[in-house]
Amino acid sequence: MAVGKNKRLSKGKKGLKKKVVDPFTRKDWYDIRAPNIFIQTTVGKTLVNRTQGLKNANDALKGRIVELSLADLNSKTEDLKKNNPDDAFRKIKLQVQEVAGKNCLTQFYGMDFTSDKLRSLVKKWQTLIERHVDVKTTDGYLLRLFCIGFTKKRPNQVSKTTYAQSSQIKAIRRKMYDVITKEASSCDLKELVQKLIPEVMGKEIEKATQGIYPLQNVYIRKVKILKAPKFDLGKLMELHGSASEDLGKKVVPGADYKEPPVFASV
């Protein structure tokens, strides 16, 4: 027989199947730890392939982004009715920045609103006003904050509509810029997140724009991190406190040690 004519010779026996290996046998589970600015610090688990050869599990975990509801992060009890209902429509993004043992230590990466909340705010007979501001925090984070607000009826108003004039909209946007810049640029990222949760800036904008046109439902609807400073492990450990790797108990020398008996002869 001529060489190369029978194509089955090089392929081995027909019908033999490759052994199926369960991919989960080579994976490990890691805990996701949120910063201690939230009530719940252990927020979930993630899978990764074990370290093998040149592929390191830690490198595969670093940079992963987790999206969680603020209601889950700040839940005091398992009964959802007892928790703050305003937390349910905020989505928090956390990024894994360091791996300590089986714990993935995360840092705040962004915030957004759920689409159903945004849709419930938009109604007829009112003006929607939006503004985005780029702010740099004291610890070097460059953030973009998106603000949203709606006009409301003045006291004793008879007219059904509450449309603002273009000059009033410009003045309101200017006030939004001033308040956000003042509040966000005077604090670090941790303090800024603590301001975002109770909606401090939204209430300040409502007060500042009262003389131009009364507003309602003023929120910082979205936060994006445009640029982050150089990674600092010390600051990350401060944010997590006791969430880092368990190093065990301190060994006291001589606590359980007994002197061996002296033999008269060997």
Side-chain angles (χ1 to χ4, degrees):
M1 184 174 26
V3 178
K5 290 288 182 183
N6 192 347
K7 292 178 183 177
R8 291 275 350 140
L9 289 173
S10 59
K11 292 185 180 178
K13 290 185 180 178
K14 196 175 182 180
L16 284 177
K17 289 185 179 178
K18 203 174 181 180
K19 192 179 178 183
V20 179
V21 181
D22 186 13
F24 282 86
T25 56
R26 60 173 186 268
K27 292 179 187 285
D28 283 330
W29 287 99
Y30 283 76
D31 290 326
I32 298 167
R33 298 276 187 168
N36 54 20
I37 48 177
F38 304 108
I39 294 168
Q40 299 294 332
T41 51
T42 305
V43 291
K45 288 182 178 287
T46 187
L47 266 176
V48 70
N49 287 333
R50 280 193 208 98
T51 303
Q52 193 173 15
L54 296 171
K55 289 184 179 179
N56 194 347
N58 290 7
D59 295 337
L61 287 165
K62 284 176 189 175
R64 286 191 183 184
I65 294 162
V66 186
E67 193 174 79
L68 299 149
S69 170
L70 184 61
D72 293 335
L73 287 165
N74 278 350
S75 60
K76 293 171 187 174
T77 59
E78 290 183 6
D79 187 4
L80 295 173
K81 290 178 183 177
K82 292 180 182 177
N83 297 323
N84 187 3
D86 290 340
D87 291 345
F89 55 79
R90 282 190 177 87
K91 296 184 290 182
I92 302 290
K93 283 183 180 178
L94 302 172
Q95 186 182 38
V96 177
Q97 293 199 339
E98 188 58 42
V99 181
K102 289 284 181 183
N103 297 325
C104 297
L105 308 183
T106 60
Q107 171 65 296
F108 177 80
Y109 189 71
M111 189 197 78
D112 203 355
F113 269 27
T114 55
S115 57
D116 63 303
K117 175 64 179 176
L118 284 171
R119 282 167 171 76
S120 70
L121 294 172
V122 180
K123 292 168 188 169
K124 288 194 291 184
W125 322 122
Q126 62 182 10
T127 304
L128 183 153
I129 302 162
E130 283 188 297
R131 178 75 207 240
H132 72 267
V133 186
D134 291 355
V135 188
K136 195 166 190 177
T137 59
T138 53
D139 53 351
Y141 281 91
L142 184 64
L143 305 169
R144 183 169 287 164
L145 281 76
F146 295 81
C147 182
I148 192 170
F150 302 87
T151 54
K152 71 173 182 180
K153 284 186 179 182
R154 289 190 174 95
N156 306 318
Q157 184 178 327
V158 178
S159 174
K160 185 170 75 171
T161 60
T162 58
Y163 297 131
Q165 295 174 355
S166 59
S167 60
Q168 290 172 322
I169 293 168
K170 282 180 183 176
I172 288 167
R173 284 207 184 106
R174 207 173 298 118
K175 286 284 183 186
M176 283 178 172
Y177 176 85
D178 293 341
V179 171
I180 292 168
T181 307
K182 181 189 166 188
E183 292 286 337
S185 59
S186 60
C187 61
D188 60 9
L189 186 67
K190 182 182 176 180
E191 289 168 357
L192 181 62
V193 175
Q194 288 169 333
K195 283 181 180 179
L196 291 169
I197 293 167
E199 203 55 65
V200 171
M201 283 184 248
K203 289 167 188 171
E204 284 292 321
I205 291 164
E206 278 184 35
K207 285 179 192 173
T209 57
Q210 203 68 35
I212 304 164
Y213 207 107
L215 294 182
Q216 63 179 345
N217 298 327
V218 181
Y219 295 104
I220 302 296
R221 67 169 184 86
K222 191 176 182 180
V223 179
K224 282 168 75 175
I225 292 182
L226 302 178
K227 200 173 180 182
K230 197 176 178 183
F231 175 65
D232 187 354
L233 184 60
K235 283 185 180 177
L236 186 70
M237 287 301 180
E238 279 176 30
L239 276 174
H240 286 270
S242 60
S244 57
E245 187 181 3
D246 185 16
L247 300 173
K249 295 178 182 177
K250 189 180 177 182
V251 178
V252 181
D256 299 320
Y257 178 71
K258 290 183 181 179
E259 194 74 34
V262 181
F263 296 103
S265 61
V266 179

